[in-house]
Amino acid sequence: MLSNRLVSLAETGLISRTVDAGPPVTVAYALTDRGRALMPALEQISRWADEHLPC
């Protein structure tokens, strides 16, 4: 499930995927500029949830 989600996010350009051949093989993910552009909207949603949803 997580792997599928990461592939989808990479395909939409929200994250980048970097593979280091190792050994051991490692994979790193990072937000792209496009992904970082979502942060203000996500912060607003988080504030709304803090104010309107029960803990």
Side-chain angles (χ1 to χ4, degrees):
M1 174 88 172
L2 176 60
S3 179
N4 290 341
R5 182 60 51 147
L6 290 169
V7 167
S8 295
L9 291 170
E11 287 174 349
T12 60
L14 296 175
I15 63 172
S16 62
R17 181 178 187 266
T18 305
V19 179
D20 181 10
V25 174
T26 59
V27 179
Y29 295 90
L31 285 173
T32 61
D33 289 340
R34 187 175 186 178
R36 281 188 291 278
L38 287 171
M39 293 308 293
L42 294 174
E43 289 167 0
Q44 287 289 331
I45 292 169
S46 177
R47 275 196 287 272
W48 180 89
D50 287 343
E51 293 175 9
H52 295 93
L53 298 177
C55 294

